[in-house]
């Protein structure tokens, strides 16, 4: 959300405040929809692209660390213990867990510009049943 409106950005491209404040609900819905669609299409991989390079445990604390690979069981434990807080990454991990537990092979969460590298396992977070 822009605090000030620069003159070179048309008002049609500025997110209305009400929509911005409902961002978490949108993220949860979008991530869940992608997981369900992936399962319905029998996809082996679903990817969620975001503005962060990976899922982080203890985000925003001195103990934060990126989680590059997680088994389904590790991701479920992370959700249960509250290591993700209530931020926008939690719905992505919940959707990834739903996809993998529903029969998908892997779910990848990565930065928007790193999709191809994340599919190769070079960046991002990959959640799958078993680590190879």
């Amino acid at each position: 959300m822009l605090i000030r409106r620069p003159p070179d950005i048309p008002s049609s491209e500025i997110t209305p405040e009400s929509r911005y404040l409902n961002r978490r609900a949108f993220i949860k819905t979008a991530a869940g929809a992608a997981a369900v669609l992936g399962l319905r299409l029998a996809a082996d991989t679903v990817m969620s692209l975001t503005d962060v390079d990976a899922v982080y445990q203890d985000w925003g604390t001195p103990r934060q660390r990126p989680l590059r690979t997680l088994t389904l069981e590790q991701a479920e434990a992370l959700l249960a213990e509250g290591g993700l807080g209530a931020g926008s990454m939690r719905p992505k991990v919940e959707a990834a867990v739903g996809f993998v537990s529903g029969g998908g092979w892997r779910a990848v969460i990565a930065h928007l510009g790193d999709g191809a590298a994340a599919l190769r396992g070079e960046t991002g977070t990959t959640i799958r049943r078993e680590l190879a």
Side-chain angles (χ1 to χ4, degrees):
M1 180 174 144
L2 293 173
I3 304 302
R4 291 178 294 159
R5 185 176 147 214
D8 59 334
I9 299 176
S11 61
S12 63
E13 293 184 21
I14 297 174
T15 302
E17 183 177 9
S18 61
R19 195 172 299 156
Y20 176 80
L21 294 175
N22 289 323
R23 178 175 154 255
R24 285 192 178 135
F26 171 77
I27 290 169
K28 186 173 185 173
T29 301
V36 169
L37 182 60
L39 289 171
R40 297 284 296 200
L41 294 173
D44 65 356
T45 302
V46 70
M47 177 177 270
S48 180
L49 299 174
T50 185
D51 61 349
V52 180
D53 67 322
V55 174
Y56 281 76
Q57 184 167 15
D58 300 320
W59 174 261
T61 72
R63 297 182 327 264
Q64 81 177 24
R65 65 184 181 92
L67 302 171
R68 298 298 178 188
T69 55
L70 295 167
T71 64
L72 178 59
E73 294 76 21
Q74 290 169 327
E76 290 171 331
L78 183 65
L79 290 169
E81 70 188 25
L84 297 174
S88 63
M89 194 57 72
R90 183 176 187 84
K92 292 176 182 72
V93 174
E94 289 171 338
V97 164
F99 176 75
V100 174
S101 66
W105 177 59
R106 68 177 175 166
V108 179
I109 301 169
H111 186 271
L112 180 61
D114 294 334
L119 284 174
R120 293 188 301 268
E122 299 168 4
T123 189
T125 298
T126 298
I127 300 170
R128 60 179 153 206
R129 289 186 182 276
E130 294 181 21
L131 298 178

